[in-house]
């Protein structure tokens, strides 16, 4: 043992260490137009090195960290916007499928594609079908941001569950080149009573200092980022902040940050996502659930005030899209389209935003990425424009300039719902 330590001190890596196997990843986080984080796990502790180049293996740059670890996390910087970089771990050889495209410059009008996936890490047949549907759908136009709507790994968000039901399921087709922006659900918070020790926080790297364009949150629990001309906010419906409050306390730490973040945003599009929705008649009923009732009463007014375009959630294992609405703080029965719908449509589901009055917020539950659930007797919501629990699926958003198109892609590979917003 002493002999091995001596070799490490000299910087000589023994043969067994060089043969370390990658058992998780690589996966991509915090990617902006100029930098990003590459993470992976090895079976035994090693140093960390990533080679990257526009034309591997020619003239590859590399980043290196000598610390021996199984949890590798390296930041690459000084990248050019809108460029594809190939990368490899430990040696500068091309590895098929290991590439990452940097984001366009912030504020760019160019087309952006976002994939929103909720309640997925179950190991179910539905999870694989939803994955394969997206894999085929995005062949012509890849994903620029992959957002998770929580309940990522069932049943308790433990590391072994992340490994089996998340990393192993999406590794081949998505993780090496899909830029990930996660969000946790109640199941991810079951792992450990101390939320700081959750596998969720161990496994992922979030922009807590505003390094991806949003206002600094100071915590990985909630954050925001900019992608093209879209401001995206990952709110946390499960976290208790240091001041003892949660998102349902509209004057608490997270809600105060959310208000400041939305007020500071200069980009034309705003999308907010978190796990527990304000409106659902799927497997959870937002009329009877105390937590979700409070989300509606306390947080919806913030979305109204700052004219958020889309609010995405999971938790219910359904797909439920509302019309563009405002000020609907009561139960489902209180919904009145004359009072709560703020929209003009060129044809059904295709909205044209009134330049002076703006438009209401569209609320979407997309929680059938792996789970499939029942619905309440009163399903769908009175505010619903389209809802289904018959099939699993996930949501693809395309934003280009002043147009946003949403498509809900079923596990059968077909688009079952399409809507658009023109500003
Ligand atoms: Fe949930």
């Amino acid at each position: 043992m002493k002999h091995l330590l001596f070799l490490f001190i000299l910087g000589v890596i023994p043969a067994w260490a060089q043969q370390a196997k990658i058992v998780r990843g690589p996966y991509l986080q915090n990617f902006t137009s100029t930098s990003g984080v590459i993470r992976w796990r090895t079976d035994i502790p090693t140093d960390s090195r990533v080679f990257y180049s526009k034309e591997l293996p020619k003239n590859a740059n590399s980043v290196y960290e000598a610390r021996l670890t199984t949890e590798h996390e390296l930041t690459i910087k000084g990248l050019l916007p809108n460029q594809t970089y190939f990368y490899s771990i430990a040696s500068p050889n091309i590895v098929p499928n290991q590439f990452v495209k940097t984001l366009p410059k912030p504020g760019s009008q160019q087309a952006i594609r976002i994939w929103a996936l909720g309640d997925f890490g179950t190991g179910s047949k539905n999870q694989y079908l939803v994955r394969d549907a997206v894999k085929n759908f995005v062949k012509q136009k890849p994903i620029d941001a992959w957002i998770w709507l929580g309940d990522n790994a069932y049943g308790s968000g433990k590391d072994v569950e992340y490994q089996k039901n998340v990393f192993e399921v999406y590794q081949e087709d998505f993780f090496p080149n899909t830029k990930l922006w996660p969000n946790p659900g109640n199941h991810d918070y079951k792992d450990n009573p101390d939320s700081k020790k959750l596998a969720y926080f161990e496994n992922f790297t979030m922009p807590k200092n505003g390094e991806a364009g949003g206002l600094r949150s100071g915590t990985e629990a909630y954050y925001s980022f900019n992608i093209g001309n879209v401001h995206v906010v990952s709110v946390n419906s499960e976290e208790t902040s240091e001041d003892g409050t949660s998102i349902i306390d509209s004057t608490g730490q997270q809600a105060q940050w959310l208000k400041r973040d939305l007020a500071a945003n200069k980009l034309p599009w705003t999308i907010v996502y978190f796990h527990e929705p304000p409106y659902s008649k799927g497997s959870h009923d937002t009329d009877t659930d105390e937590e979700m009732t409070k989300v509606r009463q306390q947080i919806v007014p913030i979305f109204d005030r700052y004219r958020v375009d889309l609010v995405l959630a999971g938790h219910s294992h359904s797909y439920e899209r509302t019309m563009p609405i405002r000020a609907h703080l009561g139960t489902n029965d209180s919904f009145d389209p004359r009072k709560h719908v703020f929209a003009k449509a060129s044809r059904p589901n295709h909205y044209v935003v009134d330049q002076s009055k703006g438009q209401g917020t569209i609320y979407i539950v997309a929680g059938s990425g792996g789970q499939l659930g029942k619905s309440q007797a009163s399903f769908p919501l009175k505010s619903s424009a389209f809802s289904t629990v018959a099939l699993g699926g996930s949501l693809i958003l395309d934003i280009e300039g002043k147009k946003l198109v949403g498509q809900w892609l079923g596990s059968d590979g077909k688009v079952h719902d399409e809507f658009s917003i023109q500003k």
Side-chain angles (χ1 to χ4, degrees), residues 119 150-151 154 185-187 238 275-276 284 314-317:
D119 304 66
D151 284 359
Y154 286 88
N186 50 308
H187 283 269
E238 315 307 316
H275 186 61
E276 301 201 26
H284 295 278
H315 201 39
S316 271
H317 304 144

Side-chain angles (χ1 to χ4, degrees), residues 37-322:
V37 174
I38 297 178
R39 294 189 60 161
W40 69 97
R41 175 181 287 179
T42 47
D43 57 346
I44 52 174
T46 67
D47 56 353
S48 312
R49 191 190 294 276
V50 167
F51 291 89
Y52 62 98
S53 168
K54 286 196 277 179
E55 306 157 41
L56 264 182
K58 269 194 242 162
N59 306 320
N61 295 309
S62 74
V63 276
Y64 178 72
E65 192 178 291
R67 180 177 65 95
L68 300 179
T69 181
T70 57
E71 307 304 317
H72 307 269
E73 178 176 350
L74 287 180
T75 301
I76 53 177
K77 295 177 184 166
L79 306 176
L80 297 170
N82 241 351
Q83 295 284 332
T84 298
Y85 289 85
F86 298 93
Y87 68 92
S88 65
I89 288 158
S91 76
N93 297 321
I94 288 180
V95 181
N97 205 32
Q98 274 185 206
F99 58 86
V100 54
K101 190 176 180 198
T102 51
L103 296 185
K105 281 186 183 167
S108 158
Q109 301 284 309
Q110 86 182 55
I112 292 295
R113 171 163 276 187
I114 298 173
W115 175 28
L117 180 67
D119 304 66
F120 47 94
T122 59
S124 67
K125 189 179 173 198
N126 182 46
Q127 182 186 11
Y128 286 87
L129 290 173
V130 171
R131 176 199 68 182
D132 292 344
V134 174
K135 180 183 159 186
N136 290 328
F137 191 81
V138 303
K139 272 184 184 150
Q140 303 305 322
K141 190 176 175 190
I143 298 154
D144 298 294
W146 183 14
I147 63 176
W148 289 355
L149 307 176
D151 284 359
N152 312 317
Y154 286 88
S156 310
K158 292 187 180 308
D159 187 73
V160 289
E161 293 165 336
Y162 266 99
Q163 184 67 17
K164 186 167 178 288
N165 293 337
V166 180
F167 285 101
E168 288 176 12
V169 176
Y170 303 102
Q171 191 58 51
E172 191 178 330
D173 301 313
F174 292 103
F175 276 118
N177 49 39
T178 312
K179 299 171 285 283
L180 171 67
W181 305 90
N183 186 287
N186 50 308
H187 283 269
D188 303 301
Y189 266 65
K190 283 185 182 171
D191 171 30
N192 196 308
D194 179 353
S195 72
K196 291 194 170 48
K197 293 182 180 156
L198 298 177
Y200 174 81
F201 290 112
E202 299 288 322
N203 288 341
F204 303 110
T205 306
M206 281 67 86
K208 65 178 186 179
N209 292 312
E211 57 270 48
L215 192 74
R216 179 185 188 277
S217 68
T219 169
E220 288 194 302
Y222 48 86
Y223 59 95
S224 60
F225 60 99
N226 293 335
I227 169 168
N229 64 355
V230 190
H231 183 58
V232 190
V233 190
S234 181
V235 164
N236 190 324
S237 58
E238 315 307 316
E239 175 79 359
T240 302
S241 296
E242 282 160 11
D243 64 354
T245 65
S246 71
I247 190 60
I248 57 174
D249 299 286
S250 59
T251 56
Q253 201 170 319
Q254 187 182 172
Q256 293 286 6
W257 168 81
L258 174 64
K259 290 180 220 173
R260 289 199 310 274
D261 177 85
L262 292 173
N265 173 42
K266 300 273 192 292
L267 296 177
W269 294 100
T270 309
I271 298 172
V272 178
Y273 65 110
F274 53 93
H275 186 61
E276 301 201 26
Y279 308 107
S280 176
K281 285 286 178 184
S283 48
H284 295 278
D285 185 345
T286 50
D287 281 350
T288 53
D289 184 287
E290 206 179 319
E291 179 89 8
M292 291 187 286
T293 296
K294 284 185 181 160
V295 168
R296 184 169 64 252
Q297 292 170 343
Q298 302 295 321
I299 305 306
V300 163
I302 300 174
F303 302 147
D304 286 345
R305 192 180 317 152
Y306 293 102
R307 304 258 170 111
V308 170
D309 296 294
L310 285 182
V311 170
L312 312 179
H315 201 39
S316 271
H317 304 144
S318 46
Y319 175 68
E320 300 172 83
R321 172 175 65 86
T322 72

